[in-house]
Amino acid sequence: MPLLIDSRRLDVSLPAAQILQTCPELEERARNLKSQPTQIVGPHGFLYVQQRELAATTPHDRSISILGSEDATTCHIIVLRHTGSGATCLAHCDGSDSEKEVAAIIQAVKSLTKTNEGRLELHLVGGFNDQRQLSLKLSRQLLSKFTHCKYCIQMIFPFITDINDKKENGIHLPVIYGIAVNVKTGEIFKAKFQDRQPDEDLRSAYIMTGGHMVNVYDAETEQLNIGPYSWLPFPNIEFWLSQGDKQILDCFSTSPQAEPPHFVQHMKSSLQYLKDNPHPQVSVFPNGKPRSYKKKADGQWERIKN
C-alpha cells in the first residue's frame, strides 16, 4: 500500500526536499526537528541500537523508556510507531538488505500491537549528499519498500539525504547524526548518548563480519539479547590493526569526511575484538545461548544467566 500523508498518497519517486515542498505539514515537522537542541541521553531507561540492529517495545515496559541510535552518516535511522498500542521500533539501517529490514521492523511493531485502533506512523532520519550517493540510494530503497508493504503507513517526516545535508568548509555533512524516541510519549528528538553498552565491541564485530539485521530486545521479558553469533577469522587482521588512522577511516567508512571523531577508535576496538575472538562460538557463546541482560534501576545493564 502507498505511504500516506493523512489521506494523500506520497510520491516517493521525488527527492526528499521536493516531497517537503509539496507537503507543508512535513516541512513544518522537519523544521521543528532541525531547530531542536541536541539532548544528551543518560543510561537510565535507555537502550542503544547499533548499526544493523532493531529494538521494539511498548509504553508498558518497566525497564526501557527511550530507544536511540547515532553515528548515522549514509545510514538511516527508522522509527515506526503504532498510535493505538504505542508499540515502537527503532532501527539503524545501512542498506545491506532493505527489503528484509523493513519487513522485520514492521513485524516487530505488529507483534506488539493487540488492537485494531490506531495507525502506523513512520519517521526516517539520516543520510546526506555524499559523493558516492549512497544516502540517496538507501533513501529510495527504504521509501520504496515501505510503499510496497501490505500495510497502510503514515509518513510523519522524511529527514533524509538532501534535507539532512549541510556544508562546512565546502564539505557535505549530515545535519543530524543521532535521534531517540520516547516510547511512553512518542516524542522523537535529536540526541547524543552516554551509554552504548552492553557488548559494544561484540555487536560491532558482528556487523564487520557481515551479520544481518537482528532484533536485540525482547519486550515481554524486558531482556536485551546478544547473539549467539559466529564468524570466520577476520582476514588480514594483523595488517588492519597495524594501519594508521587515515587508512582505517578510508577503508572502513562509506563517508570518511563525515565520520564523528570517535569512529577510528571504535573500528580499532572492534578489530581487536575480532582478533581476540576468531571463533566466538567457542570464546563468547560456548553454550550456544545469547548473552542476556536486564536493565537495573541505576541504568546499568546486568548480565543474567540463561
Side-chain angles (χ1 to χ4, degrees):
M1 296 184 72
L3 281 171
L4 300 175
I5 307 169
D6 295 327
S7 58
R8 291 174 292 156
R9 181 172 184 151
L10 183 66
D11 185 354
V12 297
S13 67
L14 297 174
Q18 204 168 331
I19 291 175
L20 289 198
Q21 291 171 4
T22 62
C23 306
E25 307 98 311
L26 293 185
E27 189 169 18
E28 178 65 20
R29 293 168 194 155
R31 187 162 48 245
N32 289 340
L33 179 68
K34 184 177 181 180
S35 65
Q36 289 179 6
T38 300
Q39 299 185 38
I40 306 300
V41 177
H44 292 275
F46 172 64
L47 190 159
Y48 186 80
V49 177
Q50 282 213 28
Q51 183 176 335
R52 228 174 285 175
E53 290 182 350
L54 67 85
T57 191
T58 73
H60 303 295
D61 195 314
R62 298 162 298 175
S63 302
I64 299 300
S65 56
I66 297 176
L67 304 172
S69 189
E70 65 177 331
D71 295 352
T73 53
T74 56
C75 291
H76 289 34
I77 302 170
I78 296 176
V79 175
L80 185 68
R81 186 173 188 270
H82 191 275
T83 59
S85 66
T88 302
C89 177
L90 185 144
H92 188 135
C93 300
D94 61 6
S96 57
D97 192 333
S98 294
E99 184 172 4
K100 289 184 178 179
E101 290 170 1
V102 167
I105 292 164
I106 295 172
Q107 176 57 31
V109 173
K110 296 294 288 186
S111 67
L112 295 174
T113 298
K114 312 302 181 186
T115 177
N116 292 323
E117 300 295 326
R119 66 183 191 180
L120 290 169
E121 295 186 340
L122 177 65
H123 308 75
L124 297 175
V125 177
F128 67 111
N129 288 333
D130 63 283
Q131 289 183 342
R132 298 165 63 188
Q133 295 191 317
L134 298 175
S135 301
L136 178 61
K137 179 182 177 182
L138 181 53
S139 292
R140 288 175 172 169
Q141 284 180 356
L142 293 171
L143 288 171
S144 174
K145 300 310 177 186
F146 276 109
T147 295
H148 292 98
C149 80
K150 64 180 181 179
Y151 299 104
C152 182
I153 299 176
Q154 299 285 332
M155 173 64 78
I156 303 303
F157 58 70
F159 201 90
I160 50 177
T161 310
D162 45 341
I163 303 171
N164 192 38
D165 183 81
K166 65 179 180 180
K167 286 182 76 172
E168 292 184 2
N169 300 319
I171 298 174
H172 287 275
L173 299 170
V175 175
I176 300 175
Y177 281 83
I179 62 168
V181 56
N182 186 318
V183 178
K184 310 293 185 187
T185 65
E187 177 195 10
I188 293 175
F189 52 94
K190 296 193 299 187
K192 290 183 175 294
F193 309 103
Q194 297 175 338
D195 174 37
R196 300 186 179 205
Q197 297 302 323
D199 288 336
E200 180 180 3
D201 289 337
L202 165 59
R203 293 155 76 181
S204 180
Y206 174 67
I207 299 165
M208 294 178 72
T209 57
H212 55 79
M213 178 168 277
V214 290
N215 186 341
V216 295
Y217 189 67
D218 185 331
E220 292 188 5
T221 62
E222 299 182 4
Q223 288 183 196
L224 178 66
N225 300 305
I226 309 300
Y229 300 145
S230 64
W231 54 69
L232 297 174
F234 198 80
N236 305 312
I237 190 68
E238 295 288 357
F239 167 80
W240 289 116
L241 284 169
S242 70
Q243 298 306 295
D245 290 0
K246 187 178 185 305
Q247 185 76 357
I248 295 293
L249 185 63
D250 290 344
C251 293
F252 286 92
S253 171
T254 58
S255 50
Q257 292 182 309
E259 293 293 352
H262 55 262
F263 175 84
V264 170
Q265 183 53 48
H266 176 59
M267 287 295 101
K268 288 182 175 180
S269 183
S270 301
L271 286 166
Q272 185 63 51
Y273 190 92
L274 286 168
K275 178 186 176 181
D276 295 341
N277 297 279
H279 302 287
Q281 61 271 36
V282 176
S283 60
V284 186
F285 306 102
N287 59 3
K289 295 181 179 180
R291 292 168 62 89
S292 297
Y293 297 85
K294 294 276 283 187
K295 196 74 162 180
K296 297 194 298 180
D298 64 0
Q300 301 305 306
W301 290 100
E302 180 178 34
R303 179 92 182 270
I304 59 176
K305 293 183 179 180
N306 292 317

